Amino acid sequence: MPQNLVFTNDVASALDQILDAKPHNRLAVIVDENTQRLVLPAVKSRHLADAHVITIKAGDSHKNLSTLTQVWEGLEEAGATRRSVVVNLGGGVVTDLGGFAAATFKRGIDFINIPTTLLSAVDAAVGGKTGINFGGLKNEIGYFREASDVIISTCFLATLSIEELKSGYAEMLKHGMLSSHDEFCRLIAYDFQNADAEQLLELLRTSVLVKERIVKEDPHEKGIRRALNLGHTVGHAFESKALHDGKPIAHGYAVAWGMVAEMVLSHNILGFPSQDLHRLADFVHANYGAFHITCDDYDALLALMHHDKKSQSGEINCTLLAACGDVRPGHVISDDEMRIALDLYRDLMHI
């Protein structure tokens, strides 16, 4: 069955309508410590009132095998069967880990995603990627399994820090660059200081539908879906290095910085317009700062890129753009090309 996407700021009514039409014998809701406190009480759903609540620790460092085991044990405690339903109410950690737990428990039970952060709405809740971090690497173990339903809302923005808002927006910016030059220009003109829930919901709808179109065309990332990795080869290396150093960074920030480096590659290899590269770099630096690296970090970063999931035979693999909307996935990048890109990234980020 196709995934049911619902765009609304009346989350409780949407969830009750979905569950009324979905026969089930048990309902479990997975939250983290923050969404249990700030979001769960605000979702006045008839069904959630009787759900078994499984609370996990907040933060990407807890998206691991130990937390996954805790969720499986919680589902056992709830008496969940293959006729049960899981509701993942939270950010990307909850939707990634909760989706993986549901996809593997009893060989797979239905789950509904209600992303509560902008990042999880635009990135983690749609497309069927579930999983956990393992061995110090991001999303090393996982499974393709779509939520049956996703309720996408911006009504929880008041619970987010400006960092969390910007983290999600980086993925929207990525989708805009994959879509068209006009969409790229519209997104880099956004004013974070005057965020409006209804306006952002419309921007989010456009962004999510870009991703949905690509995922439908290539559900298992064999071809065009690799376009969604824009910024992620370098971004994941930054993220993994930061995690290894005990200084975790927000995923969206890593993607924003990664996009700058990969647009340098795009400019050097495909002629991506210099003006747009500088506009992107200026926007990222102004809103995200910079991930500080030196040439002494290059070997470790290159090793992480060679180990990335997108690598087929140990090569560095990137999605590049000839222009906004002109997508060229699957470029093999040499170590020398990446070193030059990292040099120019540091220049553009004023490091």
Side-chain angles (χ1 to χ4, degrees), residues 244-274:
H244 181 268
D245 292 344
K247 300 175 181 178
I249 56 178
H251 173 72
Y253 278 59
V255 169
W257 298 321
M259 281 194 291
V260 174
E262 293 181 25
M263 287 308 97
V264 169
L265 288 166
S266 295
H267 173 71
N268 291 346
I269 296 171
L270 298 175
F272 182 83
S274 176

Side-chain angles (χ1 to χ4, degrees), residues 59-126:
D60 196 72
S61 61
H62 298 291
K63 195 169 84 170
N64 55 30
L65 190 58
S66 175
T67 305
L68 179 65
T69 300
Q70 176 198 340
V71 172
W72 282 331
E73 290 171 347
L75 292 173
E76 288 279 6
E77 183 182 329
T81 71
R82 296 187 72 180
R83 293 185 57 247
S84 301
V85 174
V86 169
V87 174
N88 296 315
L89 180 66
V93 172
V94 171
T95 56
D96 280 3
L97 188 146
F100 187 49
T104 50
F105 187 79
K106 304 288 187 183
R107 296 183 177 170
I109 61 178
D110 273 358
F111 62 98
I112 299 166
N113 283 340
I114 307 178
T116 59
T117 66
L118 194 58
L119 177 60
S120 59
V122 74
D123 183 35
V126 174

